């Protein structure tokens, strides 16, 4: 029978995961149960993607705000602490800032503008043009920023992050200043003790600060890399990177030991079905909203753990290129046969060959993680596992 369907992504409903649950067995049971109920078969090179939050919940990987405050105080002592380039997010940063304020003598927050690193805008580029402000050279105090732009509100949530972040620090009875600059060294006018809070550019930011003479520089990945008390939450690899709110007084950390978990899932499915599937843990997808201009990826990586078959980038050729160029004189069955032959030979061609132009040069885990994130959603769908079939198929399959 001729195959008529390519890639299929299914969101799998799962039980509510609690701390201490065997996440590997839950995933395996969910896959096998769904296959039986929905009438699909587990095949080699199928992919199971499980959201990082489910893994962290099973691990009980949480930290209290007081733990963050304790670690910040251990690292900085009685110092004014600069919080440099935080993203504008209640879920991602509000509780982290609360912990920083609780552990510091004073806080200076430096916001990038017109937007944070993942595209949350304080103001528009048009507003910058109208005000005659150069965001690459001009440093603004809170008062100057308000004189030029007034109060700001996030286009989707309506939240004024300047007021919100200032109020969070004030609620901890900690003095606070806010400045606006895209030059990391601007913070050194106020303090030489800095928490680098950007995610993807953090290594460059640290280097610039160190070269400029900063005395104490830590990024989010340096905080809570070990417990500050017995049974305290921590993540040895990621620290606070990838953390988000849990309760008013706690955060959920990024999961640990993700590689061991996905390999255990792969092994158990092999035992149960004889098939070798791939498995990955995924967080935020890596895609940009065309209206809000928000780049989704606030986690340090799309996937903190994946099986070996998901390493690398796709090796594909562009069907329309083959049809319009290499085989333009053919049609019908002859064209299809020629294109199939070209696909079968693609392993022998250079990845930058003309027939590959326009294909997506991104890591497999970033592509599949984005597909899984969009499939599972971030709300009440109840499908934290995404089962993907046919991803590695091509026109010859």
């Amino acid at each position: 029978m001729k195959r008529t369907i390519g890639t299929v992504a299914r969101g799998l409903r799962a039980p509510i995961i609690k701390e201490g649950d065997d996440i590997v067995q839950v995933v395996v049971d969910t896959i096998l149960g769904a296959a039986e109920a929905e009438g699909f078969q587990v095949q080699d090179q199928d992919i199971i993607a499980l959201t990082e939050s489910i893994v962290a919940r099973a691990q009980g990987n949480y930290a209290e705000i007081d733990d963050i405050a304790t670690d910040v105080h251990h690292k900085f002592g009685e110092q004014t602490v600069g919080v440099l380039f935080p993203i504008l997010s209640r879920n991602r940063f509000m509780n982290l800032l609360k912990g920083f304020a609780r552990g510091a003598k004073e806080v200076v927050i430096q916001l990038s503008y017109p937007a944070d690193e993942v595209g949350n805008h304080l103001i528009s580029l048009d507003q910058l043009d109208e005000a005659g402000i150069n965001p690459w050279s001009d440093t603004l105090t809170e008062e100057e920023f308000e004189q030029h732009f007034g109060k700001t509100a996030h286009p989707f949530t309506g939240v004024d992050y300047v007021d919100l972040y200032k109020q969070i620090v004030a609620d901890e009875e900690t003095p606070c200043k806010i400045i606006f600059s895209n030059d990391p060294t601007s913070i050194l006018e106020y303090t030489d003790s800095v928490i680098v809070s950007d995610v993807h550019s953090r290594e460059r930011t640290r280097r610039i600060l160190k070269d400029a003479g900063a005395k104490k520089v830590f990024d989010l990945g340096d905080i809570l890399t070990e417990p500050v008390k017995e049974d305290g939450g921590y993540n040895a690899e990621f620290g606070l990177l990838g953390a988000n709110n849990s309760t008013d007084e706690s955060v959920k950390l990024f999961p640990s030991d993700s590689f061991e978990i996905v390999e255990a899932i792969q092994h158990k499915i092999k035992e149960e079905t004889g098939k070798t599937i791939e498995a990955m843990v995924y967080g935020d997808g890596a895609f940009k909203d065309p209206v809000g201009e928000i780049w989704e990826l606030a986690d340090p990586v799309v996937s903190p753990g994946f099986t070996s078959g998901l390493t690398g980038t796709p090796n594909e050729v562009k069907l329309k290129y083959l049809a319009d160029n290499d085989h333009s004189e053919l049609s019908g069955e002859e064209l299809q046969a020629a294109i199939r032959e070209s696909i079968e030979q693609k392993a022998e061609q250079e990845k930058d060959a003309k027939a590959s132009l326009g294909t997506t040069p991104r890591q497999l885990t970033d592509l599949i993680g984005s597909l899984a994130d969009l499939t599972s959603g971030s709300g009440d769908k109840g499908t934290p596992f995404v089962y993907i079939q046919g991803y590695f198929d091509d026109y010859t399959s």
Side-chain angles (χ1 to χ4, degrees):
M1 181 181 293
K2 183 177 180 180
R3 183 166 174 179
T4 59
I5 297 175
T7 300
V8 175
R10 296 179 176 90
L12 304 188
R13 290 193 172 167
I16 303 299
I17 305 297
K18 302 291 288 184
E19 181 177 351
D21 287 347
D22 184 342
I23 189 64
V24 172
Q25 193 61 53
V26 170
V27 171
V28 171
D29 290 344
T30 300
I31 294 171
L32 298 180
E36 181 178 2
E38 300 299 326
F40 66 86
Q41 293 183 331
V42 174
Q43 302 287 350
D44 289 328
Q45 286 196 302
D46 288 354
I47 304 166
I48 181 65
L50 46 154
T51 181
E52 58 84 18
S53 64
I54 290 294
V55 179
R57 284 177 62 84
Q59 293 174 336
N61 208 11
Y62 296 83
E64 297 177 3
I65 302 301
D66 282 344
D67 296 343
I68 298 173
T70 298
D71 202 18
V72 167
H73 192 74
H74 283 166
K75 286 178 166 60
F76 293 102
E78 294 295 327
Q79 298 290 325
T80 296
V81 175
V83 178
L84 180 59
F85 297 154
I87 65 172
L88 305 175
S89 171
R90 289 171 293 176
N91 177 47
R92 289 290 187 171
F93 204 76
M94 189 166 64
N95 276 1
L96 302 189
L97 181 59
K98 186 186 297 186
F100 300 162
R102 195 173 294 179
K105 181 184 75 172
E106 182 179 359
V107 169
V108 178
I109 302 172
Q110 180 175 325
L111 298 175
S112 56
Y113 74 101
D116 67 11
E117 68 169 319
V118 296
N120 291 296
H121 275 69
L122 285 168
I123 53 175
S124 68
L125 290 172
D126 289 334
Q127 286 175 288
L128 284 178
D129 294 341
E130 291 167 5
I133 299 295
N134 184 343
W136 302 112
S137 61
D138 296 341
T139 298
L140 305 176
T141 64
E142 185 180 357
E143 293 74 19
E144 290 169 335
F145 186 86
E146 189 167 335
Q147 285 172 7
H148 286 291
F149 306 113
K151 293 291 187 180
T152 65
H154 191 280
F156 287 170
T157 65
V159 173
D160 184 329
Y161 278 96
V162 177
D163 283 351
L164 174 64
Y165 282 6
K166 191 171 184 180
Q167 187 60 52
I168 288 170
V169 178
D171 287 344
E172 298 300 323
E173 299 183 352
T174 302
C176 179
K177 293 185 179 71
I178 296 182
I179 63 171
F180 302 82
S181 175
N182 293 307
D183 179 357
T185 64
S186 297
I187 198 76
L188 301 181
E189 296 292 323
Y190 299 85
T191 180
D192 58 11
S193 300
V194 183
I195 299 175
V196 172
S197 301
D198 48 342
V199 178
H200 304 290
S201 51
R202 62 188 182 276
E203 292 183 7
R204 176 177 182 269
T205 302
R206 283 178 65 125
R207 173 178 57 77
I208 291 171
L209 290 174
K210 287 287 191 181
D211 290 348
K215 297 290 176 29
K216 294 183 179 180
V217 181
F218 299 95
D219 67 44
L220 297 181
D222 298 319
I223 302 173
L224 287 187
T225 56
E226 57 186 26
V228 297
K229 65 183 181 185
E230 188 175 355
D231 297 327
Y234 72 102
N235 187 310
E237 181 180 3
F238 292 105
L240 291 180
L241 289 168
N244 51 35
N245 289 359
S246 176
T247 69
D248 288 344
E249 284 295 319
S250 66
V251 296
K252 178 192 67 60
L253 302 175
F254 218 42
S256 305
D257 305 318
S258 295
F259 280 96
E260 289 85 348
I261 290 168
V262 295
E263 287 171 355
I265 291 170
Q266 185 182 59
H267 178 72
K268 272 188 168 290
I269 289 292
K270 180 75 171 181
E271 286 184 335
E272 294 285 346
T273 68
K275 303 297 183 180
T276 300
I277 71 168
E278 304 298 337
M280 64 180 288
V281 177
Y282 70 95
D284 283 339
F287 46 83
K288 184 175 180 179
D289 183 288
V291 177
E293 300 183 40
I294 299 167
W295 184 43
E296 176 72 7
L297 184 58
D299 288 324
V301 291
V302 172
S303 177
F306 48 90
T307 50
S308 60
L310 299 179
T311 301
T313 60
N315 180 20
E316 299 176 331
V317 292
K318 203 79 168 178
L319 295 187
K320 67 179 183 182
Y321 180 90
L322 296 175
D324 292 346
N325 292 273
D326 293 9
H327 311 301
S328 60
E329 76 286 357
L330 303 177
S331 62
E333 287 294 331
E334 287 185 324
L335 175 60
Q336 293 182 43
I339 285 179
R340 288 192 181 97
E341 184 178 354
S342 295
I343 293 172
E344 289 168 351
Q345 295 172 351
K346 68 183 179 181
E348 302 172 10
Q349 71 174 15
E350 298 293 331
K351 281 212 170 186
D352 61 353
K354 288 183 178 180
S356 295
L357 294 179
T359 58
T360 308
R362 290 169 58 188
Q363 296 294 322
L364 286 168
T365 49
D366 294 343
L367 292 164
I368 298 166
S370 298
L371 170 61
D373 191 23
L374 288 167
T375 301
S376 64
S378 58
D380 57 7
K381 293 185 185 299
T383 55
F385 310 142
V386 178
Y387 198 73
I388 301 166
Q389 294 188 295
Y391 191 84
F392 294 104
D393 291 354
D394 57 37
Y395 189 64
T396 68
S397 301

